[in-house]
mmCIF file of all heavy atoms in Angstrom:
data_model
loop_
_atom_site.group_PDB
_atom_site.id
_atom_site.type_symbol
_atom_site.label_atom_id
_atom_site.label_comp_id
_atom_site.label_asym_id
_atom_site.label_seq_id
_atom_site.Cartn_x
_atom_site.Cartn_y
_atom_site.Cartn_z
ATOM 1 N N MET R 144 21.055 31.794 124.076
ATOM 2 C CA MET R 144 21.080 31.764 122.586
ATOM 3 C C MET R 144 19.765 31.319 122.012
ATOM 4 O O MET R 144 19.327 31.781 120.974
ATOM 5 C CB MET R 144 22.214 30.913 122.141
ATOM 6 C CG MET R 144 23.631 31.363 122.459
ATOM 7 S SD MET R 144 24.889 30.167 122.116
ATOM 8 C CE MET R 144 25.303 30.521 120.503
ATOM 9 N N ASN R 148 18.280 32.663 118.532
ATOM 10 C CA ASN R 148 18.591 32.003 117.291
ATOM 11 C C ASN R 148 18.682 30.469 117.511
ATOM 12 O O ASN R 148 19.559 30.016 118.171
ATOM 13 C CB ASN R 148 19.909 32.606 116.771
ATOM 14 C CG ASN R 148 20.284 32.046 115.395
ATOM 15 O OD1 ASN R 148 20.087 30.902 115.125
ATOM 16 N ND2 ASN R 148 20.700 32.953 114.483
ATOM 17 N N ASP R 150 19.261 27.903 115.464
ATOM 18 C CA ASP R 150 20.365 27.188 114.913
ATOM 19 C C ASP R 150 21.648 27.432 115.648
ATOM 20 O O ASP R 150 22.502 26.543 115.785
ATOM 21 C CB ASP R 150 20.520 27.549 113.403
ATOM 22 C CG ASP R 150 19.469 26.838 112.509
ATOM 23 O OD1 ASP R 150 18.957 25.755 112.926
ATOM 24 O OD2 ASP R 150 19.161 27.380 111.512
ATOM 25 N N ARG R 151 21.857 28.651 116.025
ATOM 26 C CA ARG R 151 23.056 28.981 116.801
ATOM 27 C C ARG R 151 23.090 28.248 118.111
ATOM 28 O O ARG R 151 24.111 27.677 118.504
ATOM 29 C CB ARG R 151 23.032 30.532 117.017
ATOM 30 C CG ARG R 151 24.306 31.209 117.333
ATOM 31 C CD ARG R 151 25.181 31.590 116.115
ATOM 32 N NE ARG R 151 24.539 32.604 115.278
ATOM 33 C CZ ARG R 151 24.662 33.855 115.453
ATOM 34 N NH1 ARG R 151 25.400 34.331 116.435
ATOM 35 N NH2 ARG R 151 24.078 34.702 114.572
ATOM 36 N N LEU R 154 23.682 24.507 117.485
ATOM 37 C CA LEU R 154 25.117 24.323 117.147
ATOM 38 C C LEU R 154 25.963 24.275 118.395
ATOM 39 O O LEU R 154 26.813 23.405 118.643
ATOM 40 C CB LEU R 154 25.690 25.415 116.179
ATOM 41 C CG LEU R 154 27.235 25.410 115.999
ATOM 42 C CD1 LEU R 154 27.705 24.094 115.374
ATOM 43 C CD2 LEU R 154 27.548 26.595 115.059
ATOM 44 N N LEU R 182 25.515 21.926 110.663
ATOM 45 C CA LEU R 182 25.102 23.230 111.286
ATOM 46 C C LEU R 182 26.081 24.303 111.014
ATOM 47 O O LEU R 182 25.744 25.429 110.792
ATOM 48 C CB LEU R 182 24.841 22.994 112.789
ATOM 49 C CG LEU R 182 23.681 22.152 113.186
ATOM 50 C CD1 LEU R 182 23.728 21.664 114.614
ATOM 51 C CD2 LEU R 182 22.375 22.848 112.861
ATOM 52 N N VAL R 183 27.341 24.021 111.063
ATOM 53 C CA VAL R 183 28.406 24.952 110.824
ATOM 54 C C VAL R 183 28.289 25.444 109.338
ATOM 55 O O VAL R 183 28.292 26.678 109.079
ATOM 56 C CB VAL R 183 29.824 24.421 111.046
ATOM 57 C CG1 VAL R 183 30.873 25.320 110.574
ATOM 58 C CG2 VAL R 183 30.029 24.143 112.536
ATOM 59 N N ASN R 185 25.766 25.586 107.373
ATOM 60 C CA ASN R 185 24.462 26.268 107.161
ATOM 61 C C ASN R 185 24.286 27.488 108.070
ATOM 62 O O ASN R 185 23.211 28.103 108.105
ATOM 63 C CB ASN R 185 23.287 25.355 107.275
ATOM 64 C CG ASN R 185 23.302 24.328 106.202
ATOM 65 O OD1 ASN R 185 23.508 24.652 105.066
ATOM 66 N ND2 ASN R 185 23.178 23.051 106.508
ATOM 67 N N ARG R 186 25.303 27.833 108.816
ATOM 68 C CA ARG R 186 25.110 28.910 109.787
ATOM 69 C C ARG R 186 25.018 30.291 109.083
ATOM 70 O O ARG R 186 24.482 31.193 109.621
ATOM 71 C CB ARG R 186 26.318 28.851 110.678
ATOM 72 C CG ARG R 186 26.441 29.881 111.750
ATOM 73 C CD ARG R 186 27.570 29.673 112.615
ATOM 74 N NE ARG R 186 28.794 29.588 111.857
ATOM 75 C CZ ARG R 186 30.013 29.731 112.388
ATOM 76 N NH1 ARG R 186 30.215 29.704 113.680
ATOM 77 N NH2 ARG R 186 31.066 29.621 111.515
ATOM 78 N N GLY R 187 25.654 30.355 107.959
ATOM 79 C CA GLY R 187 25.613 31.646 107.214
ATOM 80 C C GLY R 187 26.813 32.488 107.673
ATOM 81 O O GLY R 187 27.567 32.085 108.595
ATOM 82 N N ILE R 188 27.054 33.614 107.042
ATOM 83 C CA ILE R 188 28.150 34.518 107.396
ATOM 84 C C ILE R 188 27.692 35.345 108.572
ATOM 85 O O ILE R 188 26.608 35.977 108.603
ATOM 86 C CB ILE R 188 28.573 35.409 106.205
ATOM 87 C CG1 ILE R 188 28.754 34.486 104.961
ATOM 88 C CG2 ILE R 188 29.632 36.235 106.603
ATOM 89 C CD1 ILE R 188 29.859 33.511 105.169
ATOM 90 N N ASP R 189 28.493 35.405 109.641
ATOM 91 C CA ASP R 189 28.070 36.363 110.726
ATOM 92 C C ASP R 189 29.342 37.019 111.370
ATOM 93 O O ASP R 189 30.461 36.871 110.865
ATOM 94 C CB ASP R 189 27.282 35.593 111.848
ATOM 95 C CG ASP R 189 28.044 34.381 112.365
ATOM 96 O OD1 ASP R 189 29.194 34.165 111.954
ATOM 97 O OD2 ASP R 189 27.508 33.726 113.247
#
Side-chain angles (χ1 to χ4, degrees):
M144 292 169 94
N148 186 317
D150 283 333
R151 200 85 65 89
L154 171 59
L182 292 166
V183 171
N185 293 313
R186 179 177 54 167
I188 308 297
D189 56 3

